[in-house]
Amino acid sequence: MENPDSRSISEIESEQQASTEEVVSLAKNSEFDREIFTEFAVLLDKFTPVLVAIKDNEKLMDRPPVKKGVESIEKELTRANKLIDGACSRSPIKQIEVVTQELGRSLGLVLFASIDASTEVKQDIAALHRELMNVKFDISFTPSPSPSLGSSPCVIHGQSGFVSEQGSFINEIEEERISLSIDDVVLQLKYGNDEEFRLALLVLSDFIRDQVIDKEWIHEEDIIPILFNRLGSSKPHNRLTIIQILRILALDNDENKEKMTDGVCLSGLVKSLARDADEGREAIGLLSELSDISAVRRRIGRIQGCIVMLVTMLNGDDPTASHDAAKLLIALSSNTQNVLHMAEAGYVKPLVRCLKEGSDMSKILMATAVSRMELTDQCRASLGEDGAVEPLVKMFKSGKLEAKLSALNALQNLSNLTENIKRLISSGIVSPLLQLLFSVTSVLMTLREPASAILARIAQSENILVKQDVAQQMLSLLNLSSPAIQFNLLQALNSIASHSSASKVRRKMKENCAVQLLLPFLTESNIKIRSAALNLLYTLSKDSPEEFMEQLGESYLINIVNIISSSASESEKAAAIGIVSNLPVSNKKSTEVLKKLHFLPILISLMSSGASTSTKTWLEESIAGVLIRFTIPSDKKLQLLSAELGVIPILLKLLASESSVAKCRAAISLAQLSQNSVALRKSRKSRWTCMPPSADTFCQVHDGYCVVKSTFCLVKAGAVPPLIQILEGEEREADEAVLNALATLLQDEIWESGSLYMAKTSAVQAIIRVLESGTVKAQEKALWILERIFSIEEHRSQHGESAQAVLIDLAQNGHPRLKSTVAKVLARLQLLQEQSSYF
């Protein structure tokens, strides 16, 4: 659908052309005043170049008042056509005069709003406006008598004529406006009601445009104070007209501008910023024009909410308002306090400019402000992108003590954003920070804490690893620092050691006795420092667990268990349990120590009580890791102890964890337990000395009586469905451990009954799914299971067809290591001869 605004000019031109042609035709053929109609046609013809000039000025056409004026011209041209068409037998000369003047009024609206038009265009519009407003047709000639308008109205297309119904309305408006004297205008501007005030504003705009009044009259009558006095209480359309008139009065008139500079006037304009879009646009335009006055700049910044509104308009969709807001903000940025308010509102360019170009005191003030602001990440990003990091680093490196401190505190605030960390590293700040930490100069001691905090943030980026020996330098500072600095250094060291590419760094840290240096912190009363040390020890314990165990020793292992049992911090418990989970399972001495300390009941209690979301995953992964130690198949007594204490329900709970690591470790423990189920089952042929076993305990897979706590049977424990569910999921990390657990149901003594059980569940389809997308090790185990299941004809008939496609694909495209096992399964399905070269 065509936009009405985009076609209004062309419609006006066509209407004007049609009007001219009709008038000329009527003038040639009518018995009435041909000269008057011809003169009317000549006036209408002058609209064409003016309208074309307006249309060509896109910026002008974007102004709503101009659009309204153009629409009004279009309506008057339409009325002119109807007037000519409905002239009947009476010459409508008086009405032509009214319509002509009304066209002049409409063109005046365009002239009034054409602030941005060229001088030539404004002169052309003004000239035609004056000509239209001053027109007087000679009505002395009267044609043959005709009925009066009151007794015989003209009829146009079956409706009452323009002359009889609309002409009276136009006359009423024109006469009311014309009847207002200059004194009446002032009186109604001061005391008139909304309609009277509106009319007075329109007449005032006419007076200004037609130069009926001069600046002395405006000054003597206090027009500017009157308008500002009415601004706050006026209706929206009147407020818009007031501000438009004020903009005209302020244009190139310093005396009028001065009258608009008091706080009340400026506050009124600031309030308009938050109102209608047109009003806000005009208000900010006027404020921008007034901003060349120093008093205005000083007062605007003090008006509550002004700078916030300016920043909002700067970022808004209106290009004109955004341009004026930018101009005004630049003008206001000469005041330091304004710059700070702008930064708080999210406009940081002036602040960054002060950091780069301001005086030393201004730089300190800006840096201090940045350090104290509650910055959003978006604001931190803006400060970084606009270049705040570099001058702050320069202040820290070369400034005096106050400048260094304010710069460091500001950088600490900015370093909460990852992108700014990269900028900090690029700026070369790491070495000066470390030098500062090694300094023993008393005056610099206050700088060490923010410096260590920045290092802790910088260490979160892997880019820190390009700085060689940073970790070693930090380690050497640990025992020479205050608690706050120790905490920051421990956090920094843990971040560095945790990076995926930091294996060499971790090895070098341990070679430099990092573990021995950290272990004494386990008895630290400051929980923040103790937790940070535990986190770093956990990270270091992941590599070379045997070596770590030797360095840890029994006494510190006892300290770790005491922390787990007594700490109120879940994250501290998770780190401590994580350290225990990383200790070598084969170390029986540590297992005995943990048994004596009743470590297993502590873990089971933790799992039963649950944990908060932030540490739940870490706790579950760590506990699942420790349980592998207590379920090793070589120690049935330890397994029995674990089962009696309730480990198996905990393992089932871990199978439902959101962590793939926890699921994998739980499946490993269940597999270890299930390996001994065959040996621990009670045969149904054996004689029981006590009461016979319940029928519910009979297990078809193990062909005997199974009790979960004594035989660790996966079937009776209900572990098979959640294990299969993991294979059916999207994550593949736990597949191998789950398949190993299921494979324990296919041991040599029970493989037939185990195959039958698994064939009745959804296990086969889940295992086939692993063949499609699992790892090579998982695929290898899945093929081993399928080869056993498909050894039975019934299972081949039931599931063989669904496995064919993926098996053939594996035979053709799979890993070479799988070739032999795939061939065995295909042979079971009679898709490959046993003499095939695949074997």
Side-chain angles (χ1 to χ4, degrees):
M1 183 176 177
E2 190 177 5
N3 188 325
D5 288 340
S6 67
R7 67 172 187 262
S8 60
I9 291 293
S10 60
E11 286 185 348
I12 291 172
E13 291 178 1
S14 62
E15 290 284 352
Q16 183 271 334
Q17 186 64 37
S19 297
T20 303
E21 291 174 357
E22 285 192 61
V23 171
V24 173
S25 176
L26 183 59
K28 290 179 179 178
N29 300 305
S30 173
E31 59 185 86
F32 304 124
D33 305 79
R34 296 186 180 184
E35 292 182 2
I36 291 174
F37 282 117
T38 302
E39 184 180 348
F40 187 34
V42 169
L43 287 172
L44 291 178
D45 200 37
K46 292 182 180 181
F47 267 94
T48 299
V50 171
L51 292 173
V52 170
I54 295 171
K55 178 184 177 183
D56 290 342
N57 191 327
E58 293 182 2
K59 187 174 181 181
L60 190 60
M61 281 302 299
D62 282 339
R63 298 181 68 85
V66 173
K67 289 184 179 180
K68 291 177 182 176
V70 171
E71 290 169 1
S72 179
I73 291 171
E74 181 184 14
K75 291 177 183 177
E76 294 305 327
L77 287 170
T78 303
R79 288 175 182 169
N81 272 329
K82 291 181 179 179
L83 175 62
I84 298 163
D85 200 27
C88 298
S89 57
R90 178 184 175 91
S91 173
I93 297 171
K94 179 60 179 175
Q95 284 69 37
I96 290 175
E97 185 176 296
V98 171
V99 170
T100 303
Q101 292 182 347
E102 201 60 32
L103 281 167
R105 300 284 184 191
S106 300
L107 191 62
L109 291 175
V110 176
L111 175 62
F112 180 60
S114 302
I115 297 173
D116 299 323
S118 66
T119 303
E120 183 181 356
V121 170
K122 284 194 284 189
Q123 287 175 347
D124 290 343
I125 296 174
L128 180 55
H129 166 254
R130 283 193 296 272
E131 188 172 359
L132 291 168
M133 293 303 298
N134 296 327
V135 70
K136 294 290 181 183
F137 293 112
D138 183 3
I139 57 172
S140 59
F141 170 75
T142 305
S144 56
S146 62
S148 68
L149 290 176
S151 60
S152 181
C154 294
V155 178
I156 305 175
H157 306 303
Q159 298 179 0
S160 298
F162 169 75
V163 175
S164 61
E165 293 191 358
Q166 298 185 35
S168 59
F169 175 69
I170 292 174
N171 286 335
E172 182 180 340
I173 294 176
E174 283 304 306
E175 289 170 5
E176 189 173 359
R177 287 175 68 170
I178 292 169
S179 66
L180 281 181
S181 66
I182 292 179
D183 293 337
D184 292 334
V185 168
V186 176
L187 195 64
Q188 291 192 11
L189 287 175
K190 287 181 177 179
Y191 309 113
N193 59 31
D194 287 331
E195 290 304 318
E196 292 169 340
F197 181 62
R198 176 66 176 166
L199 185 63
L201 285 175
L202 294 175
V203 175
L204 175 63
S205 67
D206 289 344
F207 287 169
I208 294 171
R209 189 168 48 247
D210 299 338
Q211 299 180 351
V212 174
I213 55 178
D214 54 22
K215 62 181 181 180
E216 285 75 19
W217 181 86
I218 290 171
H219 172 68
E220 290 170 0
E221 298 295 340
D222 285 333
I223 296 300
I224 292 174
I226 291 172
L227 292 177
F228 272 109
N229 187 50
R230 294 295 298 263
L231 180 61
S233 59
S234 294
K235 291 186 176 180
H237 59 276
N238 285 346
R239 289 199 302 267
L240 177 61
T241 306
I242 289 172
I243 299 172
Q244 288 172 336
I245 291 174
L246 289 170
R247 289 193 72 179
I248 295 293
L249 295 177
L251 198 63
D252 300 324
N253 192 315
D254 293 340
E255 187 178 352
N256 285 345
K257 283 185 179 180
E258 286 292 338
K259 294 176 183 177
M260 304 179 190
T261 60
D262 69 73
V264 175
C265 296
L266 297 175
S267 294
L269 291 174
V270 169
K271 287 179 181 177
S272 290
L273 297 179
R275 288 171 173 154
D276 176 79
D278 291 340
E279 183 179 343
R281 187 190 307 110
E282 295 295 336
I284 199 169
L286 179 53
L287 287 170
S288 177
E289 290 157 12
L290 296 175
S291 65
D292 56 351
I293 301 172
S294 59
V296 171
R297 296 193 296 272
R298 185 173 63 252
R299 289 166 186 160
I300 288 178
R302 295 174 182 171
I303 300 173
Q304 187 174 7
C306 176
I307 288 177
V308 173
M309 279 304 306
L310 293 177
V311 173
T312 301
M313 298 180 84
L314 173 71
N315 298 322
D317 297 328
D318 187 324
T320 302
S322 178
H323 176 270
D324 288 335
K327 177 184 174 184
L328 186 51
L329 285 167
I330 290 171
L332 295 178
S333 66
S334 60
N335 180 283
T336 301
Q337 200 61 40
N338 290 342
V339 171
L340 297 179
H341 289 317
M342 291 175 199
E344 289 170 350
Y347 180 55
V348 299
K349 280 185 170 64
L351 184 147
V352 175
R353 188 165 58 250
C354 286
L355 286 174
K356 291 178 178 179
E357 304 169 2
S359 64
D360 289 346
M361 186 52 64
S362 176
K363 290 177 181 179
I364 291 171
L365 186 62
M366 295 299 135
T368 303
V370 172
S371 70
R372 294 175 179 174
M373 286 181 189
E374 294 184 8
L375 299 176
T376 62
D377 282 348
Q378 183 178 355
C379 195
R380 287 189 182 96
S382 297
L383 283 163
E385 290 164 4
D386 291 339
V389 172
E390 291 77 10
L392 287 170
V393 171
K394 185 178 179 181
M395 284 176 66
F396 162 62
K397 287 180 177 179
S398 58
K400 295 180 180 179
L401 180 62
E402 188 179 6
K404 288 179 183 289
L405 182 60
S406 61
L408 277 179
N409 288 329
L411 289 170
Q412 184 179 348
N413 200 350
L414 294 179
S415 65
N416 282 320
L417 190 72
T418 303
E419 289 78 4
N420 287 340
I421 291 175
K422 296 175 183 176
R423 296 183 178 103
L424 280 166
I425 295 173
S426 300
S427 71
I429 197 174
V430 176
S431 295
L433 288 175
L434 287 169
Q435 290 172 10
L436 175 61
L437 291 177
F438 278 107
S439 172
V440 293
T441 306
S442 58
V443 293
L444 298 178
M445 296 302 284
T446 55
L447 304 179
R448 298 180 74 202
E449 186 174 335
S452 64
I454 294 171
L455 275 174
R457 301 270 170 71
I458 290 175
Q460 295 173 10
S461 169
E462 285 206 51
N463 293 335
I464 189 70
L465 297 177
V466 302
K467 306 291 183 181
Q468 294 185 353
D469 297 328
V470 169
Q472 279 62 49
Q473 292 181 61
M474 290 184 185
L475 277 172
S476 64
L477 285 166
L478 272 179
N479 289 327
L480 304 174
S481 305
S482 65
I485 296 173
Q486 283 179 332
F487 173 70
N488 289 330
L489 289 174
L490 286 167
Q491 281 198 315
L493 284 165
N494 188 48
S495 294
I496 292 171
S498 297
H499 293 310
S500 58
S501 56
S503 58
K504 291 182 180 179
V505 175
R506 291 194 294 271
R507 185 174 66 250
K508 196 166 184 180
M509 286 173 69
K510 285 191 280 189
E511 289 173 357
N512 290 333
C513 304
V515 175
Q516 291 91 328
L517 187 65
L518 293 169
L519 287 174
F521 285 102
L522 296 180
T523 58
E524 171 66 52
S525 58
N526 185 319
I527 189 172
K528 287 178 63 178
I529 294 177
R530 190 177 69 214
S531 295
L534 272 169
N535 288 338
L536 181 52
L537 282 168
Y538 166 72
T539 303
L540 294 177
S541 70
K542 295 176 183 179
D543 302 325
S544 307
E546 292 83 3
E547 179 187 346
F548 183 85
M549 183 64 215
E550 290 177 7
Q551 294 174 324
L552 181 64
E554 183 177 335
S555 60
Y556 283 115
L557 180 57
I558 294 172
N559 286 338
I560 290 174
V561 174
N562 288 336
I563 290 172
I564 296 168
S565 61
S566 62
S567 176
S569 167
E570 289 182 353
S571 61
E572 188 176 30
K573 289 179 181 180
I577 297 170
I579 292 172
V580 177
S581 72
N582 288 335
L583 299 180
V585 172
S586 58
N587 190 302
K588 294 182 178 180
K589 187 177 180 180
S590 60
T591 303
E592 288 301 317
V593 172
L594 294 171
K595 281 172 62 179
K596 289 178 183 178
L597 294 171
H598 304 290
F599 187 52
L600 201 53
I602 294 172
L603 296 186
I604 293 171
S605 175
L606 276 175
M607 274 299 298
S608 301
S609 61
S612 62
T613 306
S614 59
T615 58
K616 183 178 180 181
T617 297
W618 192 8
L619 267 175
E620 288 179 345
E621 290 176 357
S622 299
I623 290 173
V626 173
L627 293 182
I628 294 174
R629 168 187 297 277
F630 287 95
T631 57
I632 55 173
S634 60
D635 192 340
K636 293 178 184 176
K637 286 185 178 180
L638 185 58
Q639 285 187 330
L640 285 168
L641 173 64
S642 300
E644 284 291 335
L645 290 172
V647 160
I648 293 177
I650 296 300
L651 293 172
L652 296 182
K653 186 176 181 180
L654 289 168
L655 290 180
S657 171
E658 294 181 2
S659 164
S660 295
V661 174
K663 291 175 184 177
C664 178
R665 291 174 175 176
I668 291 172
S669 289
L670 287 169
Q672 292 182 157
L673 289 167
S674 183
Q675 286 178 40
N676 288 326
S677 294
V678 174
L680 295 171
R681 66 184 172 173
K682 298 295 183 182
S683 172
R684 57 179 174 174
K685 296 178 182 179
S686 65
R687 294 183 178 182
W688 290 66
T689 56
C690 299
M691 293 180 62
S694 167
D696 293 339
T697 63
F698 181 75
C699 175
Q700 292 180 345
V701 173
H702 294 107
D703 193 27
Y705 297 97
C706 290
V707 178
V708 175
K709 287 189 176 181
S710 59
T711 65
F712 326 134
C713 174
L714 295 183
V715 178
K716 290 300 180 182
V720 176
L723 288 169
I724 294 173
Q725 191 172 1
I726 293 172
L727 298 181
E728 292 172 339
E730 297 300 323
E731 297 174 343
R732 305 268 62 93
E733 291 86 345
D735 284 352
E736 185 184 354
V738 169
L739 290 169
N740 284 331
L742 293 175
T744 61
L745 300 179
L746 299 172
Q747 297 176 71
D748 291 344
E749 301 96 320
I750 59 171
W751 73 270
E752 291 181 271
S753 57
S755 296
L756 178 62
Y757 173 78
M758 292 178 69
K760 289 180 179 179
T761 67
S762 59
V764 176
Q765 294 304 316
I767 293 167
I768 293 172
R769 179 184 176 92
V770 174
L771 291 180
E772 294 173 345
S773 55
T775 64
V776 174
K777 284 188 176 182
Q779 288 175 329
E780 198 168 26
K781 198 66 183 181
L783 288 168
W784 183 90
I785 293 173
L786 288 178
E787 195 269 332
R788 292 219 154 184
I789 292 175
F790 290 153
S791 296
I792 299 173
E793 173 61 31
E794 181 184 351
H795 306 332
R796 289 198 298 269
S797 301
Q798 185 179 358
H799 298 289
E801 186 176 348
S802 61
Q804 288 181 15
V806 67
L807 288 169
I808 293 170
D809 182 64
L810 274 178
Q812 296 173 344
N813 306 309
H815 195 280
R817 200 166 89 190
L818 304 176
K819 186 176 181 181
S820 175
T821 315
V822 172
K824 289 179 182 180
V825 181
L826 288 172
R828 293 290 188 192
L829 297 176
Q830 298 178 349
L831 296 174
L832 193 68
Q833 294 181 355
E834 293 191 3
Q835 293 81 14
S836 171
S837 61
Y838 271 90
F839 293 96

